[in-house]
Amino acid sequence: MNDARRSAPATLRNREPILALLHTVLPPVGLVLEIASGTGEHAVHFAAALPALRWRPSDPDAGARQSIAAWAAEAKLPNLLAPLALDAANTDWAGMRADAIVCINMIHISPWGATKGLMRGAGAILPIGAPLMLYGPFVRAGRPLEPSNAAFDADLRRRDPAWGLRALDAVEDCASARGLTLDRVIEMPANNLSVVFRKG
Ligand SMILES: C[S@@+](CC[C@H](N)C(=O)[O-])C[C@H]1O[C@@H](n2cnc3c(N)ncnc32)[C@H](O)[C@@H]1O
């Protein structure tokens, strides 16, 4: 079982700053839906640190879901639920619910349709006032990209022309079209941002 566990070194670097923010953004109790959980290391870390919340990881990739399940089997956390097969670009959100949505490092490593689908889903299933928190690198109006983010953006676009760092303004417009209002933008280590929207 443990053979399925994947490891992403970045999660070890960013999990504490993200967790510190989650303490201030998430509701005290309820169900958190994590979109694009990847290895599952964040899910285990956050579920362990936030025991009053139920944490639902998800990923469209079967190998990622096996990794999440393997980490979860080892951690044995009562509030960490089984991973969902969820493609944000192509999900029927009817019947789903969550008290908060967290999406780390996805919107620049997927076509724009994934961001549009994420916003459609968040607008559909979040209760009024509930948060959608994004984390990752963004392009901000009037600010040149930091050299590390410019190189990352070029590399992403080389790998897939549909990928690339997203303009925060475009993400905000996309969210706004689904009834989500920008609440906070927080500068994070390594030139990343946390961006919190709330259902209006
Ligand atoms: C760079 S990894 C980030 C994983 C994890 N959140 C982290 O920070 O380590 C990007 C993840 O996005 C997922 N992904 C790509 N397209 C997606 C989509 N349309 N809907 C949901 N997840 C997607 C991939 O399967 C992958 O696990």
Side-chain angles (χ1 to χ4, degrees):
M1 186 64 173
N2 283 351
D3 291 346
R5 289 179 306 170
R6 294 177 177 175
S7 193
T11 61
L12 294 179
R13 293 193 294 272
N14 63 27
R15 66 186 191 178
E16 291 305 335
I18 296 174
L19 177 61
L21 189 62
L22 290 176
H23 278 293
T24 74
V25 168
L26 297 179
V29 295
L31 175 66
V32 180
L33 173 63
E34 184 188 8
I35 305 290
S37 300
T39 64
E41 292 165 290
H42 279 146
V44 168
H45 190 71
F46 298 154
L50 301 162
L53 289 165
R54 284 174 300 133
W55 197 274
R56 172 72 80 184
S58 72
D59 205 282
D61 180 77
R65 293 195 302 279
Q66 285 167 10
S67 176
I68 298 164
W71 282 110
E74 186 189 62
K76 295 188 175 61
L77 298 168
N79 61 328
L80 179 55
L81 310 178
L84 291 181
L86 191 156
D87 180 338
N90 189 21
T91 282
D92 179 4
W93 300 91
M96 294 186 66
R97 60 165 294 267
D99 300 299
I101 298 178
V102 172
C103 181
I104 300 169
N105 281 331
M106 181 200 78
I107 71 170
H108 54 289
I109 310 184
S110 54
W112 180 242
T115 302
K116 290 204 307 195
L118 173 63
M119 296 307 178
R120 184 170 57 82
I125 74 173
L126 288 177
I128 301 294
L132 162 66
M133 195 188 102
L134 307 181
Y135 171 94
F138 288 83
V139 181
R140 301 178 86 179
R143 300 193 197 193
L145 269 182
E146 306 82 1
S148 61
N149 277 347
F152 185 38
D153 183 51
D155 180 58
L156 288 170
R157 291 179 193 280
R158 249 193 319 272
R159 288 161 64 190
D160 187 328
W163 295 2
L165 270 58
R166 305 301 176 195
L168 184 53
D169 286 351
V171 176
E172 185 181 354
D173 287 348
C174 184
S176 165
R178 297 296 180 175
L180 300 155
T181 306
L182 184 61
D183 178 23
R184 294 168 68 189
V185 176
I186 304 102
E187 303 210 350
M188 305 292 286
N191 298 320
N192 290 293
L193 297 180
S194 287
V195 181
V196 181
F197 296 95
R198 291 196 183 264
K199 177 76 178 291

